[in-house]
Amino acid sequence: MNDDATQPIVRMQALNKHFGNLHVLKDIDLEIVPGEVVVVIGASGSGKSTLIRCINGLEEYQLGKLEVDGSQLLPFGKSNRALQRIRTEVGMVFQQFNLFPHLSVVDNITLAPMKVRGWSRADALETANRLLERVGITDQAHKYPAQLSGGQQQRVALARALAMEPRLMLFDEPTSALDPEMIGEVLDAMRELAKEGMTMVIVTHEMGFAREVADRVIFIHQGEITEQGEPESLFDNPQHERTQSFLSRVLTH
């Protein structure tokens, strides 16, 4: 674990990712420091989700260098001994909720801390109850995922990721599968997390949310970081024509 708050928790250098002949990420250079909230935007298929999935090894890159929390994640074909430790320290919330349907809400949350971190059930339950209160669904603890709304399921997924006490949280379009009236409750939980200083990398189409919570916004176009900066600067005065074109489309809808 890297405890130096001045050192990047994520460091990518000339990172390249291919799916067969498709060059998905092209020479990505990116550093993220502890406590920073980075929002990644761009058109569908631009490489946003692939970028964050590389951070916890869900996708393997082919060329370049990637360090997460002081450990190097090696490229495709190499033995990634650090992978399990990195995944323990990096939480992720997906588009789909990925909850275990046969387990209650509280059992979904306590499973990983008990199995991976070796916590007692009592300690895991105490953490689960605290997190359910934090995301506003203490009354749902003993229900099953199928009994919950989409927004509630996504908040359970957030609580489950936080139960592992991660140093970094990744969000891959966490509201894209939700009905419009449920989006706000998930974004509210993420806002609170940002206020508390959690290091976060968020892929989202919610531009108002990005403007509000991000320390830095990164625009990706065709696998390249085309532009990045503070939200006010990037949204109000984008410098690159690709960024201008993208924002003119998404901000007028």
Side-chain angles (χ1 to χ4, degrees):
M1 181 184 294
N2 180 7
D3 289 318
D4 188 343
T6 64
Q7 292 297 310
I9 194 166
V10 176
R11 180 186 280 124
M12 292 182 176
Q13 295 175 310
L15 188 127
N16 285 265
K17 165 69 180 174
H18 297 262
F19 288 119
N21 293 325
L22 187 62
H23 198 172
V24 184
L25 297 176
K26 305 169 184 174
D27 290 326
I28 298 289
D29 290 317
L30 177 63
E31 291 189 351
I32 297 165
V33 297
E36 189 176 19
V37 178
V38 175
V39 174
V40 184
I41 64 173
S44 296
S46 59
K48 308 183 302 295
S49 294
T50 302
L51 176 73
I52 67 165
R53 288 168 69 89
C54 284
I55 293 174
N56 66 351
L58 286 175
E59 298 288 356
E60 293 182 294
Y61 66 99
Q62 281 87 10
L63 290 171
K65 188 175 181 181
L66 173 56
E67 289 182 5
V68 181
D69 199 20
S71 294
Q72 188 170 352
L73 260 177
L74 297 175
F76 179 77
K78 305 280 187 177
S79 176
N80 269 309
R81 294 180 180 174
L83 183 58
Q84 188 57 50
R85 194 197 68 79
I86 287 170
R87 285 185 177 163
T88 303
E89 303 297 336
V90 178
M92 187 159 184
V93 177
F94 300 86
Q95 295 179 40
Q96 303 299 329
F97 321 120
N98 293 347
L99 300 174
F100 295 112
H102 63 291
L103 296 180
S104 68
V105 164
V106 74
D107 286 341
N108 263 282
I109 297 170
T110 57
L111 182 64
M114 291 167 60
K115 294 282 189 184
V116 178
R117 293 216 186 268
W119 292 5
S120 68
R121 179 158 179 81
D123 286 344
L125 277 172
E126 182 181 344
T127 296
N129 289 326
R130 174 173 52 81
L131 289 170
L132 286 171
E133 183 175 359
R134 186 173 172 182
V135 299
I137 48 173
T138 50
D139 54 336
Q140 309 298 325
H142 299 292
K143 291 185 178 179
Y144 287 84
Q147 298 173 288
L148 306 180
S149 70
Q152 290 170 330
Q153 289 188 61
Q154 193 63 297
R155 283 185 283 166
V156 174
L158 175 57
R160 181 177 64 177
L162 292 174
M164 288 291 286
E165 299 184 341
R167 288 169 51 80
L168 168 66
M169 281 291 297
L170 308 175
F171 294 86
D172 186 5
E173 299 189 23
T175 60
S176 65
L178 300 178
D179 293 332
E181 64 269 21
M182 297 175 184
I183 290 173
E185 59 194 46
V186 174
L187 295 182
D188 284 344
M190 293 170 65
R191 283 187 186 95
E192 289 303 311
L193 206 53
K195 287 177 186 174
E196 292 166 12
M198 173 62 77
T199 312
M200 302 163 71
V201 185
I202 306 165
V203 171
T204 185
H205 292 292
E206 300 291 333
M207 297 299 151
F209 173 76
R211 182 191 284 269
E212 179 186 345
V213 306
D215 296 305
R216 179 165 40 129
V217 177
I218 291 173
F219 172 65
I220 292 186
H221 176 70
Q222 293 183 353
E224 298 180 288
I225 295 179
T226 303
E227 188 169 348
Q228 59 182 304
E230 294 181 355
E232 195 169 297
S233 172
L234 190 135
F235 283 120
D236 294 341
N237 189 28
Q239 299 299 301
H240 196 285
E241 63 176 321
R242 295 290 187 188
T243 320
Q244 295 167 7
S245 174
F246 172 77
L247 290 175
S248 70
R249 290 198 309 274
V250 299
L251 294 180
T252 54
H253 286 80

